[in-house]
Structures are given as structure tokens and as C-alpha cells.
Amino acid sequence: MRICDLRQKEVINICTCRSIGCVNDVDIDPCTGCILALIVPGPGKLCSFLGRDTEFIIPWKCVKQIGADIILVEIDEDECKKKCDG
């Protein structure tokens, strides 16, 4: 599977049965080439018109299953939500 294939899949939190969004980026260990985390944009500000100020950093160990259309993760959304840099 390629990273571009991951970007087309919707991420679902199995703890809340809620869609988090689609993968926007991945965090890769440059030494090993292993994926460390999936990065999913957080909810938009003011109906998504003003951009986003948070994102979900989902550790790879929290990915439970990758299917044809979705990625199932088991996370505490408050712990995985981070302020965007910049």
C-alpha cells in the first residue's frame, strides 16, 4: 500500500463510532522508514471557512484495521488532538 492510498480512506474512531476525517499526512521515522503516526486535519473553524487550527496525530499503534475504504483507529480524541504549527 502506498501513502497516497491511505489519503483516500476515511478514519473512524471505534471508541466513539465517529468519523475523524481523511488522512492528510503521515509521520515517518527517517532512519527505519516506518510510519509513526497518521495526521488527520481537525474540525474547521467557523464552518471550515477560516481554515483549521488543530489536527489529530494518531499513533500507528492505535490503527486497528485498514479496509478498502476506511481506517479503524482506537484513540482518545482529546489526547490525539494537537494545535497546528504555524
Side-chain angles (χ1 to χ4, degrees):
M1 179 177 291
R2 296 176 182 211
I3 292 174
C4 62
D5 296 331
L6 289 175
R7 295 188 74 176
Q8 298 172 1
K9 298 180 188 299
E10 185 176 8
V11 179
I12 307 288
N13 184 359
I14 61 175
C15 294
T16 61
C17 298
R18 190 172 82 90
S19 172
I20 297 173
C22 292
V23 176
N24 187 42
D25 203 356
V26 294
D27 186 14
I28 298 176
D29 183 329
C31 297
T32 64
C34 293
I35 296 176
L36 299 176
L38 301 177
I39 302 172
V40 178
K45 297 187 277 183
L46 191 61
C47 301
S48 300
F49 291 120
L50 300 176
R52 302 173 193 285
D53 61 353
T54 60
E55 60 190 7
F56 294 99
I57 308 295
I58 303 168
W60 186 250
K61 66 180 182 181
C62 295
V63 175
K64 298 304 176 190
Q65 188 168 5
I66 299 176
D69 298 323
I70 62 172
I71 299 172
L72 298 177
V73 298
E74 186 174 2
I75 60 168
D76 178 345
E77 292 178 23
D78 292 333
E79 288 182 13
C80 290
K81 191 181 284 189
K82 308 290 183 206
K83 194 90 165 146
C84 289
D85 295 334

